[in-house]
Amino acid sequence: MRNLAITLVQHELQWEDPAENRAFFEQKILEQAPVSDLIVLPEMFTTGFSMNALGNAEEPNGATQVWMQDLAKQLDCAITGSIAVKEGGSVYNRLLFVTPYDCWHYDKRHLFRMLGEHKRYAPGNDRVIVNWRDWRIKLEVCYDLRFPVFSRNKQDYDLLLYVANWPSARAHHWRTLLQARAIENLAYIVGVNRIGADANGLNYSGDSMLVDPRGQLVVDMQSRPGCEQGIADAGAMHAYHAEFPAQMDSDEFHLVI
């Protein structure tokens, strides 16, 4: 199992302007991002956290997915981030995980009722883990972070990934829960959030982070815009599992969805 180079991309978003956001992120990634195995963009990175679900939704295999795949081929990496996708009469807050030749997706399970997301989007039902360059990566979105049973490591993932539009008013919760998920699941955690303000009147402080299985910060972007890379060290992770094998004493959870 090789180490995984992960680039966290933290920027402001243009409200409901997919073409502008795609062009902006492409420029920043090509200018700033080091060579990586995985590039992580925020939640709803083409529109901001808009409740105009039908107005913003793309079809499956739409313009943003094609753009992500073209960029993944150009950079020989995986790219992930969430967008609104319409399928089967419903709109989903869908996290796309795109490689040069494949695309997986995870539909956000826990919808943020405090802004009415549950009235505009349909919840997902699947627990999604992808395999990329020897790493097992579990996909989750923003509010999912608050639900540890759903995030529980059944010894089936190495990296737990969150993309978010998490407001600065609850930045302490974001930072604390990311580190808690790493410690309790003995896994690497990456969380990528946005900065700036949106049309909902919410401000975002970023705080995108890569956390190791001990809960220590590998990358902490705080409120800085840009692209920053961290390394998920496979050898160090396995050594910690051998040194502190708490996973052998974990409880069984039977999640009903």
Side-chain angles (χ1 to χ4, degrees):
M1 188 176 180
R2 53 175 285 183
N3 293 345
L4 197 73
I6 305 169
T7 295
L8 290 65
V9 184
Q10 177 173 280
H11 280 287
E12 296 188 46
L13 305 177
Q14 297 301 313
W15 188 253
E16 296 187 346
D17 194 341
E20 177 63 26
N21 283 308
R22 287 192 297 264
F24 175 82
F25 278 113
E26 181 169 347
Q27 178 186 3
K28 294 301 180 182
I29 289 168
L30 294 178
E31 286 179 352
Q32 299 179 357
V35 176
S36 285
D37 299 297
L38 173 60
I39 295 173
V40 187
L41 300 169
E43 179 186 20
M44 295 286 198
F45 71 90
T46 59
T47 60
F49 194 59
S50 171
M51 294 302 102
N52 182 15
L54 283 172
N56 290 319
E58 299 185 20
E59 297 293 329
N61 305 306
T64 298
Q65 183 176 326
V66 170
W67 171 79
M68 293 172 77
Q69 195 134 49
D70 288 344
L71 200 54
K73 288 179 180 178
Q74 182 178 348
L75 299 175
D76 187 30
C77 69
I79 301 176
T80 189
S82 91
I83 64 172
V85 175
K86 182 180 179 181
E87 186 171 25
S90 296
V91 180
Y92 299 92
N93 184 345
R94 178 166 290 180
L95 177 58
L96 301 175
F97 190 99
V98 181
T99 73
Y101 305 105
D102 294 294
C103 179
W104 293 269
H105 73 262
Y106 160 72
D107 294 328
K108 186 178 182 180
R109 170 65 184 164
H110 300 93
L111 302 176
F112 192 64
R113 67 176 56 249
M114 283 66 93
L115 275 181
E117 187 181 16
H118 65 302
K119 298 178 181 179
R120 299 288 187 264
Y121 297 86
N125 291 311
D126 296 326
R127 189 175 188 271
V128 178
I129 298 171
V130 305
N131 286 278
W132 175 242
R133 294 191 173 163
D134 299 327
W135 285 72
R136 302 168 301 168
I137 303 172
K138 188 176 191 301
L139 307 181
E140 298 196 14
V141 178
C142 201
Y143 192 43
D144 290 330
L145 178 60
R146 290 187 177 272
F147 302 94
V149 172
F150 185 69
S151 306
R152 185 70 171 178
N153 194 349
K154 302 176 182 178
Q155 312 316 310
D156 55 356
Y157 68 77
D158 310 298
L159 171 69
L160 179 56
L161 183 150
Y162 293 95
V163 302
N165 274 212
W166 193 288
S168 57
R170 293 180 291 279
H172 174 65
H173 298 184
W174 164 258
R175 297 180 63 90
T176 301
L177 290 170
L178 286 174
Q179 289 179 278
R181 294 295 89 82
I183 293 167
E184 71 194 10
N185 290 300
L186 302 172
Y188 274 93
I189 308 292
V190 60
V192 170
N193 193 23
R194 61 161 295 175
I195 56 175
D198 70 12
N200 295 315
L202 298 173
N203 293 299
Y204 301 87
S205 57
D207 296 298
S208 298
M209 298 192 297
L210 175 63
V211 189
D212 76 9
R214 298 174 183 266
Q216 297 173 337
L217 301 182
V218 179
V219 174
D220 182 1
M221 294 187 70
Q222 300 182 9
S223 60
R224 298 185 299 275
C227 304
E228 297 190 19
Q229 185 186 89
I231 303 298
D233 187 320
M237 178 177 65
H238 291 310
Y240 183 56
H241 290 173
E243 169 194 337
F244 191 79
Q247 70 275 10
M248 296 178 67
D249 301 311
S250 61
D251 300 302
E252 289 289 334
F253 288 93
H254 300 284
L255 182 66
V256 177
I257 296 180

